[in-house]
Amino acid sequence: MLAYVLRRTAYGFVTLIGVLLLLFVLFFLYASPHEMARRAVGEKAPPEVLEQWIVNHGYDKPKLWNPEAPLDTLLVEHFRRALTFDFGRSDADGTPITQRLREGMGPSLALAVPSFVFGLLFSVALALFVAYFRETYIDRMGVILCVLTMSISTLLYIIGGQFLIGKLLRWFPISGFDASPSVIARFLMLPVLVSLADGLGGSVRFYRTVFIEEGGRDYVRTARAKGCGDLRVMTHHVLRNSLIPILTRVVVAIPFLFTGALLLESFFGIPGLGSLTVDAINGNDFATLRAMVFIGALLFIGAQIATDVSYTLVDPRVRFE
Amino acid sequence: MEGHVFANLVVAALLVGSAALAFVIRRSELWREAAVQLARRRPIALAVVALYLVIAVLDSVSWVGGGEAGEGGDVLALHQPRSLVDRMFPLDFDEKSYSAPLASAEFYGGDPLEHPGLHLLGTDILGRDVLHVMLDGTRIALLVGGFTSLIVIPLALLVGVSAGYFGKRIDDAAFFVMSTLSSIPSILLLITLIMAMGRGPVQVCIAMGVTSWVGFCRIVRGETFKLRELDYVQAARALGVSDLKLIWRHILPNLMHLVVITFVLTFSGLVLSEAILSYLGIGIDGSWGQMIDQARDELARDPIIWWNLAAASAALFALILAVNFVGDAVRDVLDPRTLRERE
Amino acid sequence: MSEPLLRVSELVTTFPASGGRAAAVDGVSFELAEGEVLALVGESGCGKSVTALSLLRLVPKPGRIESGSIRIAGREVLSLPLSELRSVRGKEAAMIFQEPMTSLSPVLTVGAQVAEALRLHEPISAAQARRRTIELFEQVRIPDPEARFDGFPHQLSGGLKQRVMIAMALALRPRLLIADEPTTALDVTIQAQILELLRDLQRELGTAILLITHDLGVVNELADRIAVMYAGRLVEEGTRVQLLGDARHPYTRGLLRAVPSLGRRGERLAEIPGVVPAPGERPPGCRFETRCPVKLARCANDPPEDTPVTPGHVARCFVVAQELAR
């Protein structure tokens, strides 16, 4: 098992290098520092101002090869910064990026973790419920509801949630964030609820299919034949055997946490990494963007490895490979 | 070549292509049967999608000339290309600013409108007729879904089949590229690509294509692996049939049902992604996503301005819902298990 | 004893088919006494598995038991509330299935699954359940039972898995064991072992067994009585000696003739020409009529009735009735 984890981690590292390469190609070869300067300073700026900007931001080195000092190139710089987590300064306002990343982690996690956990719990429970009543009224209505809710854009959930609950009903504040433990929940409630509503449809529909498929298997018949009640069959047999597809789906859902973070944080004024990214877009801040993509990929790869490892915990057939 | 002439040619090509496709389908019993099944299961959803298609096509065919400017009219507008949808509205239809649906006066200030009672869905901040803007958005939505798929599907097929069929080095390389791309959360990758390439409709489509081809490519690769091991394929290889011919005659046709299913199922995802990009400011001008984005602070006003948001949301929702229903039915109809039963 | 352990009367179980529903089990009646082994024999698709599943109401949707009566130990199974049905399942009557490879949950240890059967019906502790399970494993001749308790199904061979199934089924000493083709999916040598195990256990515990099978060799090993099923109906019933020695129904005779024998080398394999009619295409009279070598005119239109041949031996055939009349 250890060998497997090491192998996966090694390949993950290789992938990360690939990501850095892609970023380099996009931001230094395809779109040159000159481009970036022009976008940051303005289209009509005179060349000296552009040059000054480039120097100020440390982009005045040769891109790939420096005959005088082979390691003093943008390429090496790019890799070095990423791998040492020293991301330099923002292209937009010059603030140190690494520090802002660290500050943003907390609020982002405060939003992402409850969204993820509650989302998983609710969708699994609902899916079990609907699957239990398969082919009855409840099931059919459930499926249609799922398709309906899946077809509504995330944006509409956010706008609708803010309008209905924030403005009309005034249950929770429309936006804002305060990290002190006594009030933090109030600010997170609405975004978490919105995130739940958004993701529920697709997840319930998927899990329902999994549960129905497992429910038709032979070992379920055996369980019934020895006297297992329906509830126990669902929780002890079907659910346990469905963990692998559930875990797979969880991995797939992680990118949506990122999308959610971007939208929810900026809509609800939560100062997390998502807000940071949105600011970077608006401010043409390529340096921050590069850092965010690297961090995002790192987190995603880490999550994938973690899920792979959890497969072995959940299914004995995978363990003894 | 002028933009609108190019668009006209593309529409013509599409129509010819669709006719050819329909002809091919009619000749194959399997596909004809599938089409019939589909029409039987989801007539309403199909009709809705067809309606959207028609509007999009009508909005893509445009030419200059015709129409009359009203008094003090916009002479400049006379020389812009106007599509069939544009021509359904009077030439100089704009008001000064907001007005409620079917209103006779402006929303703020109460001044009388140029065309009282004619704006079915009201006007937006620039005075444009909301119904008109909404219909224009249809073209963009279908463009996003269709054009992007046009990029995704051939690319995924090319890489997937090569990797699956030829294996070894090609597969390793393909796998590395796919891993790299898929390890970046798609929204971040989208943003990165658009920021690097610039903001424009073509760039947005390319970016979305790059972000979404990996999933399909994986499936194609897996299926090609399986197909390559089938007895009759092995037999053909033993007989010396060239690889290209094998791929063309045995592998690709067996992937077609996956192509159709993937196309329909990812369509709605692409349109929804564009809406999010519009919110972030890097979407395509004139899309429903942009309308929704503008609507955000309209809701904060008092009294609220709701018609812009409602129109865009309804249009978006109806299309996505219809495509989802059709997509489910397509998947059921083309499921290899049901295909096998019918043999 | 007034009532037999198992009494099935006019059981009808249907499945959806083109144009409505078709009866996979179409009016089947039989009895099983305590400690007796009854083999239910027939070709694939004749409805014998569905009959077995119906006994404990395990017929998968969209199948449905339409009518009839199933009495186990004096209780009418078809009208039991679910809570009581659950106490019958596994305790009064247990079932083992044909596919040991898929009949056990892959994510639980085999020991846990057998222990579950015990703890569902008796308030014993986990440790006690473990001990009893290991004893059961010994009884079904699983080598190294202590270690096997913590093993997973995918680590066991088909034969071992079937032994686990038998242990699970007999854990609570049910009076009735329903065995649906228990050896069909196993290698021939393993088949013999499992059959021997079943026979020994049956003698030791006095369990009545309803044995579903299409293999006449298996029947010869275990059965006291045999019932032959064709296209949803029983066509002949009798003791092992009566049926294997003096089969009357043309179908039974055809089946027996079709068994290849080492002594008759060089001869053509005897077969019953034609195929079993699909549920939607059954003729109104005797269902075997389309393939019967000795059919009469009335066989096509009138469904034959039970014709007693000798005490305990019944056939459902006009030709048999005619022969007896002479």
Side-chain angles (χ1 to χ4, degrees), chain B residues 141-173:
Chain B
L142 268 87
L143 184 87
V144 162
F147 189 60
T148 309
S149 300
L150 227 65
I151 301 174
V152 168
I153 289 172
L155 180 65
L157 278 177
L158 179 68
V159 177
V161 171
S162 310
Y165 190 81
F166 295 110
K168 285 181 269 168
R169 294 279 178 78
I170 300 184
D171 189 26
D172 285 340

Side-chain angles (χ1 to χ4, degrees), chain A residues 10 75-76 123 131 143 150 218 256 283 287 302 309 314:
Chain A
L75 179 66
V76 171
S123 35
V143 172
M150 266 169 69
D218 286 343
F256 288 99
V309 170
V314 148

Side-chain angles (χ1 to χ4, degrees), chain A residues 39 151 167 205 266-267, chain B residues 195 279 296 299 313 324 328:
Chain A
R39 290 199 214 173
S151 307
K167 189 172 184 198
R205 205 171 81 130
S266 75
F267 263 101
Chain B
M195 295 292 276
Y279 162 71
R296 269 187 307 132
L299 278 184
S313 310
N324 275 338
D328 281 347

Side-chain angles (χ1 to χ4, degrees), chain C residues 112-125:
Chain C
Q113 298 186 50
V114 176
E116 184 184 20
L118 286 167
R119 298 185 74 191
L120 275 169
H121 297 277
E122 287 181 19
I124 58 177
S125 72

Side-chain angles (χ1 to χ4, degrees), chain A residues 220 223-224 228-239:
Chain A
V220 170
R224 288 225 164 85
C228 263
D230 285 336
L231 184 66
R232 192 187 163 89
V233 164
M234 275 306 202
T235 51
H236 275 75
H237 290 270
V238 171
L239 187 57

Side-chain angles (χ1 to χ4, degrees), chain B residues 175-188:
Chain B
F175 195 74
F176 175 66
V177 171
M178 290 198 286
S179 296
T180 306
L181 284 175
S182 61
S183 67
I184 307 176
S186 31
I187 187 80
L188 289 176

